[in-house]
Amino acid sequence: MSNVLQILIEQASEKADNLARGMANTQQKLVQGQDKLNMLQTYRDECEGGMHNKASTGMTGQQLRNQLAFVGKIAQAIEQQSREIEFLNTTLAHQRTQWQEALAEQRKFEALVEREKLKQAKLENKRDQKMNDEFAARIYRVHTAGEPS
């Protein structure tokens, strides 16, 4: 039984490790996505600032429309990136739950192994105690049988 439990522990450990690697990968993508979002927001702010500066110094209607369309495209990219980050956050939360469940399963199997070890140790101690009691009884019998009455 212990070998089976050891195999189950190894499988649960491998599963937890794989899930942890998946979480790390998702976390890395999340950081990269957040960096990209920050870059897009900064770029949009710079474009809007530049547009206001150009508008104050003189800008044709066509240039203004083009600039507004460009800023609109950046806003769409920001929205799409925000949805990607939301998706990654949801994915990470789900992966974290799966990882915690895998660790709990591994701990459950480890607890079973530990209980089995304790059970075996108690049985061994009981056998040792029984042998010691029998040995002491024999010595007592031999000792009392050898004494003159």
Side-chain angles (χ1 to χ4, degrees), residues 18-138:
N18 288 338
L19 288 167
R21 281 190 289 279
M23 280 177 28
N25 187 27
T26 301
Q27 183 67 37
Q28 182 180 12
K29 287 179 183 177
L30 187 59
V31 168
Q32 291 170 347
Q34 190 62 50
D35 289 345
K36 184 176 179 181
L37 178 62
N38 292 339
M39 182 216 41
L40 285 168
Q41 289 170 333
T42 300
Y43 188 57
R44 178 199 56 202
D45 294 344
E46 289 172 358
C47 286
E48 286 176 343
M51 183 174 58
H52 291 299
N53 289 340
K54 287 179 185 177
S56 65
T57 60
M59 184 183 242
T60 66
Q62 182 62 37
Q63 289 174 326
L64 181 60
R65 279 190 298 277
N66 289 343
Q67 192 70 24
L68 287 172
F70 184 67
V71 170
K73 296 277 185 193
I74 296 171
Q76 288 174 347
I78 288 171
E79 182 61 33
Q80 182 180 359
Q81 191 62 33
S82 295
R83 285 192 303 270
E84 177 70 17
I85 288 172
E86 185 178 322
F87 172 77
L88 289 170
N89 277 320
T90 302
T91 301
L92 185 61
H94 179 69
Q95 288 173 326
R96 186 174 289 117
T97 300
Q98 288 181 318
W99 174 69
Q100 289 169 338
E101 289 170 357
L103 286 178
E105 183 178 357
Q106 180 182 347
R107 283 189 218 110
K108 177 181 72 175
F109 292 136
E110 289 170 345
L112 287 173
V113 167
E114 191 59 35
R115 272 190 238 134
E116 183 65 28
K117 285 180 184 178
L118 288 173
K119 181 180 173 184
Q120 292 301 322
K122 284 181 182 179
L123 286 174
E124 190 173 316
N125 287 340
K126 196 174 186 180
R127 273 182 270 174
D128 289 348
Q129 185 62 46
K130 184 178 179 183
M131 285 179 21
N132 286 338
D133 290 347
E134 288 175 3
F135 185 70
R138 280 189 203 138

